[in-house]
Amino acid sequence: KAGVTQTPRYLIKTRGQQVTLSCSPISGHRSVSWYQQTPGQGLQFLFEYFSETQRNKGNFPGRFSGRQFSNSRSEMNVSTLELGDSALYLCASSLEGWWGTDTQYFGPGTRLTVL
Amino acid sequence: SQQGEEDPQALSIQEGENATMNCSYKTSINNLQWYRQNSGRGLVHLILIRSNEREKHSGRLRVTLDTSKKSSSLLITASRAADTASYFCATDRASGGSNYKLTFGKGTLLTVNP
């Protein structure tokens, strides 16, 4: 099975712009989660989607949004970019999203740099 | 806020030695997981230990969990240069309803010198 893929791998944007990141989960996985990783804050949970519905959300401002399509592919969008949004954005997929027993498989990430 | 906190932040050892990393957490959990990340890449799941388990093995990995102390340790035996990576513990906690989210610690950077 192909792993989780994320596009693009690298992105450079300027403050005020918006960006859309894409994630294709492992075939058959219905849950997709997004994380932001920065040196200062570490790995932080953004949100999780299951069957096109957002089930969980972390403590991020409304500038961060996402969606999931019927084929389980997911996108996340960040509007009005700020310098602090520079980070590695990781997507993870799992069968059902029950993290207690459901292993999450991570993609390679998208490195976003905001200038 | 971080649920899991790894200790030490960085660890440097020689090939063949054992590496031990610790993780402490604050609130009750159902399960604790360990992940590895190579140099800014995606995370790889290593092992999951449930709250009613005390010890678990997987190859050269040994994980212990002490729920009374809210701590876990990851032992890598006979380390190899390829084990060089950051190691994270992740805990789950309810975020409403029956769904959970993983909360990661800041990780331990392990360097294994050939």
Side-chain angles (χ1 to χ4, degrees):
Chain A
K1 270 187 182 178
V4 178
T5 58
Q6 292 186 246
T7 57
R9 292 292 311 279
Y10 302 91
L11 206 48
I12 298 175
K13 292 285 187 178
T14 56
R15 277 185 302 174
Q17 287 187 311
Q18 75 165 19
V19 67
T20 299
L21 311 181
S22 180
C23 171
S24 292
I26 291 172
S27 177
H29 285 191
R30 296 198 291 166
S31 169
V32 174
S33 298
W34 288 90
Y35 294 84
Q36 181 197 65
Q37 186 177 28
T38 60
Q41 298 298 317
L43 275 153
Q44 293 190 293
F45 173 78
L46 279 157
F47 28 64
E48 183 253 356
Y49 287 87
F50 180 82
S51 291
E52 302 179 66
T53 301
Q54 185 183 86
R55 292 196 302 188
N56 289 289
K57 191 176 188 304
N59 297 323
F60 278 81
R63 300 185 296 109
F64 292 82
S65 63
R67 59 177 175 168
Q68 186 180 35
F69 302 94
S70 58
N71 61 358
S72 294
R73 189 177 70 86
S74 177
E75 289 182 346
M76 69 161 281
N77 184 276
V78 188
S79 62
T80 319
L81 284 167
E82 300 176 0
L83 294 178
D85 296 334
S86 294
L88 180 67
Y89 289 88
L90 293 163
C91 160
S93 77
S94 62
L95 281 168
E96 299 289 336
W98 186 274
W99 295 286
T101 55
D102 200 11
T103 299
Q104 290 197 61
Y105 296 86
F106 282 79
T110 293
R111 174 75 63 185
L112 172 64
T113 302
V114 182
L115 303 175
Chain B
S1 63
Q2 298 295 331
Q3 163 75 322
E5 294 287 342
E6 289 89 346
D7 168 57
Q9 288 187 324
L11 181 62
S12 182
I13 60 174
Q14 296 299 123
E15 236 178 356
E17 293 181 339
N18 296 339
T20 299
M21 289 159 269
N22 303 297
C23 167
S24 59
Y25 56 92
K26 298 173 185 172
T27 62
S28 297
I29 61 171
N30 293 306
N31 304 281
L32 185 145
Q33 303 184 51
W34 284 91
Y35 285 82
R36 183 188 75 222
Q37 183 179 38
N38 289 85
S39 190
R41 297 186 179 181
L43 278 73
V44 174
H45 182 263
L46 295 175
I47 197 164
L48 178 151
I49 186 165
R50 303 177 195 280
S51 58
N52 62 354
E53 296 177 312
R54 293 295 167 258
E55 188 171 312
K56 204 160 182 181
H57 296 257
S58 177
R60 295 183 295 113
L61 305 180
R62 172 178 168 252
V63 168
T64 62
L65 179 64
D66 187 334
T67 52
S68 66
K69 295 181 179 178
K70 292 187 170 59
S71 67
S72 173
S73 68
L74 169 67
L75 168 68
I76 303 175
T77 60
S79 62
R80 306 165 182 167
D83 294 329
T84 295
S86 290
Y87 291 82
F88 297 88
C89 68
T91 54
D92 65 339
R93 52 181 174 165
S95 63
S98 60
N99 296 313
Y100 294 80
K101 65 176 184 179
L102 280 181
T103 304
F104 287 84
K106 290 202 173 183
T108 292
L109 176 59
L110 172 66
T111 303
V112 181
N113 302 298

